[in-house]
Amino acid sequence: MDMSVIVLTFNRKDDVLDCVESVIHQDFEDDYEIIVIDNWSEDGTFEELKSKFSDFSSVKIVRPSKRIGIAAARNYGLQLANGRLVAFIDDDCIATRSWLNETKSAFKDESVGCVGGRISLLTVGIEKPSWIGKDIYGILGITSWGEKNKDIYFPIGGNLAIRKDLALKIGGFKEQLGPRGVKVFGEEISISNRVRGSGYRVVYAPRAEVLHKIWKERIDLEDLIKRAYMISVGDYYLYGRSLSKIVINMGILLASLYGYLVFWRSNLLCHFFYAAGYLVPALFRKEPLKMLENMTKIWRTTIRRK
């Protein structure tokens, strides 16, 4: 089998149904399977998936033995996959009809081990706020890296494909990046580094496009600053303490705080918390979640713009 598509889902019944439908209706002539991993949803997602797709032999609806993290769920999908290429798509994404063709095409070059496709913004029931620009697309899981295939540092997991044999050989997705009990981001960076370490390339394929749904709750500023912070905490636990990173993040911290207080641009607060996410464990060796809780409390009660 050429390809396996892995969809991870939790409590997004309507969205995952749309996602799976988009993957079923691909302009792709080769054999492929769709494996939907429900992480013990509590909103009837599993039952709805079983009912909706019971007549599709290519769609498998499964559950792990217990609720697990994202990296562990991706590894679970790798173990179940029968395709030589494994493509991951988030449950709140819609695949364009050429997604699988373009993803597979990027692997024609045998030096390519991992592919990240374009993730475009799809607003649902809202207008995109003026302060949301490309500078914080990464926090929202959006990619905008040009129109040509090229080598990249790492793809975003909502649209990532990898050779199965290579993924298993290098140990899959790293399931514990930070201290136990602290959820950090960075699995995509970790596996990309190991792909390159095995002599393969990590490339961007802009025509392998999915659309990422963004609704009102998803652009809640407090949620965004917390996500920005934890992304950078993941950077610290991946690479450790670095003088150059400390200097760079200190500059970002001071400039973004000044800009936020002067211009009240919400995206600048995202940059501030991103920088703080690295600096807190690097400089103060404090428990990052506790510091995040304290920082957001101070923001809410003092300088938050009403």
Side-chain angles (χ1 to χ4, degrees):
M1 180 176 291
D2 262 351
M3 297 195 73
S4 298
V5 177
I6 309 296
V7 185
L8 311 181
T9 190
F10 177 71
N11 283 352
R12 285 185 180 153
K13 179 170 59 178
D14 294 336
D15 294 310
V16 73
L17 294 176
D18 291 343
C19 176
V20 175
E21 286 279 3
S22 73
V23 180
I24 288 174
H25 297 104
Q26 289 287 294
D27 296 331
F28 190 71
E29 296 182 355
D30 298 315
D31 288 339
Y32 70 102
E33 63 181 355
I34 304 167
I35 302 173
V36 186
I37 301 174
D38 174 65
N39 202 10
W40 289 91
S41 296
E42 299 165 343
D43 65 346
T45 293
F46 184 73
E47 293 76 15
E48 190 68 21
L49 285 165
K50 284 282 193 180
S51 173
K52 179 82 172 179
F53 301 111
S54 59
D55 293 334
F56 291 84
S57 60
S58 61
V59 180
K60 303 173 185 176
I61 316 298
V62 299
R63 273 178 168 171
S65 59
K66 61 181 181 180
R67 189 171 294 166
I68 55 180
I70 292 176
R74 287 176 178 155
N75 287 334
Y76 182 54
L78 282 171
Q79 294 292 338
L80 295 175
N82 294 300
R84 66 180 184 88
L85 304 175
V86 181
F88 295 88
I89 181 172
D90 281 355
D91 59 357
D92 54 359
C93 290
I94 302 293
T96 57
R97 293 185 70 94
S98 61
W99 175 57
L100 283 182
N101 271 327
E102 295 295 344
T103 299
K104 180 184 175 183
S105 179
F107 284 100
K108 288 180 179 179
D109 185 334
E110 292 296 324
S111 70
V112 174
C114 182
V115 171
R118 186 196 302 271
I119 305 178
S120 298
L121 185 70
L122 176 62
T123 55
V124 179
I126 58 169
E127 293 289 330
K128 188 182 81 168
S130 61
W131 57 269
I132 292 182
K134 291 183 179 180
D135 61 314
I136 62 168
Y137 270 7
I139 301 171
L140 289 165
I142 305 299
T143 60
S144 180
W145 299 332
E147 301 300 323
K148 296 182 178 180
N149 286 37
K150 62 182 179 181
D151 289 81
I152 54 173
Y153 182 35
F154 69 95
I156 290 180
N159 186 3
L160 179 155
I162 192 166
R163 297 183 188 274
K164 179 183 175 178
D165 58 352
L166 172 62
L168 295 178
K169 179 181 177 181
I170 62 179
F173 293 88
K174 194 171 183 180
E175 297 179 16
Q176 186 63 44
L177 287 173
R180 188 162 298 279
V182 179
K183 180 186 180 300
V184 298
F185 299 87
E187 311 98 283
E188 298 97 332
I189 299 174
S190 172
I191 200 168
S192 295
N193 287 338
R194 284 178 281 129
V195 166
R196 281 187 291 271
S198 296
Y200 287 86
R201 296 163 56 213
V202 179
V203 303
Y204 174 59
R207 289 178 295 278
E209 183 182 18
V210 304
L211 310 178
H212 189 199
K213 294 179 181 177
I214 302 294
W215 49 85
K216 183 179 179 180
E217 293 77 14
R218 176 154 282 176
I219 56 172
D220 176 77
L221 183 54
E222 186 166 336
D223 286 345
L224 285 179
I225 62 179
K226 288 179 178 179
R227 183 176 178 87
Y229 180 93
M230 294 310 296
I231 288 172
S232 200
V233 169
D235 190 35
Y236 171 78
Y237 286 117
L238 272 171
Y239 298 111
R241 195 169 185 264
S242 159
L243 179 59
S244 62
K245 284 183 174 289
I246 289 172
V247 171
I248 291 169
N249 280 290
M250 188 63 74
I252 294 171
L253 185 93
L254 296 174
S256 56
L257 179 60
Y258 173 80
Y260 177 69
L261 294 175
V262 172
F263 302 108
W264 294 112
R265 294 282 295 178
S266 298
N267 59 311
L268 296 175
L269 194 65
C270 294
H271 290 288
F272 173 84
F273 272 82
Y274 177 86
Y278 181 86
L279 292 172
V280 165
L283 292 181
F284 305 110
R285 306 297 173 94
K286 299 289 186 180
E287 203 281 305
L289 289 183
K290 185 65 176 178
M291 286 293 290
L292 176 60
E293 180 183 331
N294 292 337
M295 290 170 63
T296 52
K297 183 178 180 181
I298 292 170
W299 169 67
R300 284 194 303 266
T301 57
T302 57
I303 63 174
R304 183 175 186 175
R305 191 182 186 196
K306 302 297 182 183

